[in-house]
Amino acid sequence: MKIGIVSLGCPKNLVDSETMLGLIHEEKYEITNDPSEAEIIIVNTCGFIESAKEESINTILQMVEYKKSGSCKYIIVTGCLSQRYAEELFNELPEADAIAGVEVYDEIGSIIKRVMNGERFIMLERSKPDVIYTSKETFLPRILTTPSYTAYLKIAEGCDNCCSYCAIPKIRGPYRSKPMEQVLKEAKALADNGVKELIVVAQDTTRYGEDLPGGKLLLADLLKELNKIESLKWIRVMYCYPNNFTDELIETFASLDKVCKYVDLPLQHASNRLLASMNRYDTREEVETLLAKLRKRIPGIVIRTTFIVGFPGETDADFEELKEFVEQQRFENAGVFAYSQEEGTVAGAMPNQIPDEIKQERYHELMALQAQISEEIHKDTEGQTLEVLVEGIEEDGSGLHYGRSYREAPDIDGLVFIENPGDIKPGCFVKVNILQGFTYESVGERI
């Protein structure tokens, strides 16, 4: 039996997909990357915002076609969209043989057996104890879909922040930290298998540990332990929230040699009125204090953030304040999202929803401003020497290799292109003198 997985959405969902692949491999099924060959296709969906839901539905429909033209006999739909809209998917997509939620991906083996026995069902609740977030010893097998030198390390599930625009707490449940012993075992296993860059993820990494015995924030302690793993080169931390970014954590980032001087800090807005309406825990002034601390204590730090434009009630003055904040703070990287009105959220029911055309105007205006800032910052790196993780070679015949420095996270930030690379292979680290900086990329020469 050949089985294929299509994984959509965020890196946290990708870790779930990789775990399912590991469990499928343990069950002695054959794994294929070609959906036309797969007899069972698993679609691990995203259901976070409208565009993600549309992509998930379109992907499911594309995979359904392989029931007509390929080898596919069964379709299993998992992930956030399944959790959020299980009944609708089950009723409207008769081609889907099983709808499985986010809590049961570790039971993929039994799900496969049930569909092969002719059952068609929804499975949202666990049929066995949850070892993932309770066992100190157990971590489930994974087959990486990332390059062999880079892996995501998910340290928690769910979220308690309850931002008014976000459906994740309803989909993924409350915040649950993995026991540190389990996280460290998984990290060491990944490093032993050749991973050089470990990317720490959760819905809110800075909240890690507060739900464990003792009720203490433990991200700083976790990073200190990860830093001891000899074969790791980089530890990159994503999804940090400002309200739990303590002075101890700042000092940890500053002092540990393997922790990238890179902070992913979703801020969402700069208007205190809108931040309160979003149910965020910080004011603009508190965020500015944190940013100043980070930059003072960690020279060369790169800060990535995200913003939402078109949130209900956002006035022209609010948007102008956001632009002024972005101009003042000069973030190295920033993503912008046009607000998506999600059913079941507090913000989805708010009055003063912003018309789509205004959202799009503000989106493009803020993106253009950030592009200008990013280009200026990249130009400021000209003449600097950066250590670059080599990831591949351009296919245009130019001979240029490309990779990332500590300044770039995979898939969301830019690349560093390397001239005169010599004999280098993906996964190795080289010193590169930056010659030119552009909006999203830099070009340099290997030293």
Side-chain angles (χ1 to χ4, degrees):
M1 180 66 69
K2 290 185 178 181
I3 300 178
I5 289 186
V6 181
S7 188
L8 304 172
C10 67
K12 299 176 288 294
N13 212 39
L14 181 66
V15 173
D16 295 349
S17 295
E18 292 176 344
T19 302
M20 284 192 281
L21 284 171
L23 292 167
I24 289 166
H25 179 71
E26 283 198 340
E27 295 279 348
K28 308 300 183 185
Y29 296 112
E30 184 178 349
I31 295 169
T32 178
N33 292 324
D34 185 349
S36 68
E37 293 182 353
E39 296 163 89
I40 297 178
I41 298 176
I42 301 167
V43 184
N44 195 18
T45 61
C46 179
F48 180 45
I49 57 177
E50 191 61 35
S51 60
K53 289 185 281 187
E54 290 176 2
E55 181 187 19
S56 292
I57 292 294
N58 289 336
T59 301
I60 295 168
L61 294 175
Q62 289 168 13
M63 295 304 109
V64 162
E65 289 299 308
Y66 289 106
K67 273 194 166 183
K68 305 171 186 175
S69 62
S71 302
C72 184
K73 297 180 178 66
Y74 308 103
I75 298 282
I76 299 171
V77 183
T78 65
C80 289
L81 193 74
S82 294
Q83 185 72 34
R84 194 174 181 187
Y85 299 107
E87 293 288 345
E88 292 93 329
L89 290 171
F90 191 76
N91 293 330
E92 295 177 20
L93 287 172
E95 301 91 345
D97 298 280
I99 307 295
V102 298
E103 294 292 320
V104 298
Y105 64 88
D106 60 320
E107 299 192 43
I108 190 63
S110 65
I111 293 169
I112 290 169
K113 289 181 174 67
R114 288 177 64 182
V115 298
M116 290 173 63
N117 286 333
E119 286 189 66
R120 184 170 185 263
F121 59 94
I122 294 173
M123 184 177 180
L124 301 182
E125 295 183 0
R126 306 184 60 81
S127 63
K128 60 184 182 181
D130 182 359
V131 300
I132 303 174
Y133 295 95
T134 58
S135 170
K136 293 183 178 182
E137 301 300 324
T138 303
F139 67 91
L140 296 178
R142 280 170 64 185
I143 293 179
L144 296 186
T145 57
T146 53
S148 61
Y149 46 80
T150 294
Y152 293 97
L153 182 69
K154 186 160 74 165
I155 62 173
E157 181 61 274
C159 190
D160 288 341
N161 288 325
C162 297
C163 301
S164 65
Y165 50 80
C166 183
I168 290 297
K170 290 179 179 288
I171 298 171
R172 291 272 178 176
Y175 195 88
R176 284 154 291 151
S177 303
K178 288 183 181 178
M180 190 181 298
E181 296 93 331
Q182 182 195 141
V183 173
L184 293 174
K185 280 197 169 188
E186 183 175 1
K188 288 171 184 172
L190 291 167
D192 288 344
N193 285 323
V195 169
K196 300 297 182 185
E197 178 188 33
L198 204 59
I199 306 173
V200 178
V201 296
Q203 290 300 138
D204 177 354
T205 52
T206 43
R207 202 164 192 151
Y208 176 71
E210 75 168 9
D211 59 312
L212 294 175
K216 181 178 180 289
L217 295 175
L218 293 175
L219 181 58
D221 293 339
L222 175 62
L223 292 176
K224 290 170 187 173
E225 293 302 315
L226 291 174
N227 201 71
K228 296 176 184 176
I229 300 176
E230 285 188 18
S231 56
L232 286 179
K233 177 76 172 178
W234 285 349
I235 302 165
R236 190 182 298 275
V237 186
M238 308 298 290
Y239 311 111
C240 301
Y241 276 59
N243 57 296
N244 282 327
F245 213 114
T246 62
D247 289 346
E248 179 192 14
L249 188 56
I250 293 173
E251 187 60 34
T252 300
F253 268 76
S255 61
L256 298 182
D257 61 317
K258 295 178 182 179
V259 174
C260 292
K261 311 314 178 197
Y262 174 106
V263 173
D264 174 43
L265 198 70
L267 298 176
Q268 311 308 7
H269 217 281
S271 160
N272 285 338
R273 184 180 65 82
L274 283 189
L275 289 170
S277 187
M278 290 177 174
N279 198 34
R280 302 287 290 183
Y281 299 141
D282 302 279
T283 64
R284 172 176 175 170
E285 292 75 21
E286 288 168 337
V287 167
E288 287 173 334
T289 297
L290 172 61
L291 293 171
K293 283 183 179 179
L294 285 166
R295 287 169 171 147
K296 181 178 180 180
R297 181 64 186 90
I298 313 174
I301 190 171
V302 166
I303 299 176
R304 152 169 277 282
T305 190
T306 53
F307 296 111
I308 296 172
V309 296
F311 186 81
E314 183 187 55
T315 63
D316 289 341
D318 292 325
F319 181 61
E320 290 300 318
E321 181 177 1
L322 176 57
K323 287 199 302 178
E324 181 265 329
F325 176 74
V326 170
E327 286 179 325
Q328 176 194 87
Q329 291 296 331
R330 296 181 62 78
F331 297 100
E332 283 76 9
N333 299 296
V336 181
F337 294 90
Y339 168 73
S340 176
Q341 186 177 7
E342 295 299 312
E343 60 184 332
T345 64
V346 173
M350 287 180 179
N352 301 317
Q353 297 286 329
I354 305 298
D356 286 342
E357 57 269 24
I358 294 178
K359 292 181 194 175
Q360 290 303 312
E361 287 174 7
R362 291 175 179 173
Y363 165 82
H364 289 294
E365 190 172 343
L366 191 58
M367 282 294 290
L369 172 59
Q370 179 58 43
Q372 177 186 340
I373 293 169
S374 292
E375 182 174 5
E376 291 168 356
I377 290 173
H378 275 113
K379 286 190 176 299
D380 287 343
T381 66
E382 292 175 359
Q384 292 184 21
T385 298
L386 296 175
E387 191 168 30
V388 173
L389 170 58
V390 179
E391 295 198 291
I393 183 170
E394 282 285 82
E395 296 179 355
D396 59 5
S398 65
L400 283 176
H401 285 56
Y402 59 84
R404 295 177 290 107
S405 72
Y406 81 95
R407 303 173 63 87
E408 295 93 20
D411 299 326
I412 56 174
D413 298 324
L415 295 168
V416 178
F417 290 91
I418 308 166
E419 295 180 347
N420 302 323
D423 183 21
I424 55 175
K425 296 178 180 179
C428 70
F429 289 81
V430 296
K431 300 284 188 182
V432 176
N433 178 42
I434 303 300
L435 302 174
Q436 286 184 288
F438 301 96
T439 305
Y440 301 111
E441 290 88 22
S442 300
V443 177
E445 186 174 32
R446 181 184 178 188
I447 297 175

